[in-house]
Amino acid sequence: ARLDDAALAHHRDGITLAATGAHAGLRVAARPLVARLAATDEAFAVRLRDMLMAGFFRAEPVEGHASDMVTLFADALPQAAAAIDDGTLWRLLQGRA
């Protein structure tokens, strides 16, 4: 967390894995780092948005994962969260996952 944005960007893959992995503590700890990366790297934000949206339609791999991914989406990608269209929102609400 003490790295500047440029140095942090070199670790984006590991940070993303921590933020989306099975360990709840790592998911929480990595969330602010992912938000920093998404705020400074539009391409990363788009990839993250697409990855998270796809995951919302799958069963949760471990308990608490889905809730953490929704929080990550809202925290790291507030514009994308606000821009979810009604059709997608309805599909998310009706999804079995």
Side-chain angles (χ1 to χ4, degrees):
R2 288 180 257 148
L3 297 175
D4 63 31
D5 291 342
L8 189 65
H10 291 291
H11 303 283
R12 78 173 56 92
D13 293 339
I15 293 167
T16 303
L17 285 173
T20 60
H23 191 277
L26 287 176
R27 290 194 307 264
V28 171
R31 193 178 303 144
L33 302 176
V34 172
R36 276 181 55 197
L37 289 167
T40 59
D41 183 345
E42 187 174 339
F44 172 77
V46 169
R47 287 191 309 275
L48 179 64
R49 178 202 64 205
D50 293 348
M51 180 183 75
L52 291 174
M53 285 299 294
F56 291 152
F57 292 99
R58 286 188 233 123
E60 125 180 280
V62 293
E63 188 165 336
H65 190 270
S67 175
D68 284 346
M69 294 306 97
V70 170
T71 302
L72 176 63
F73 189 79
D75 289 354
L77 305 166
Q79 294 85 4
I84 293 176
D85 63 86
D86 291 344
T88 301
L89 185 57
W90 180 251
R91 286 184 17 239
L92 286 168
L93 291 170
Q94 297 300 316
R96 298 173 109 206

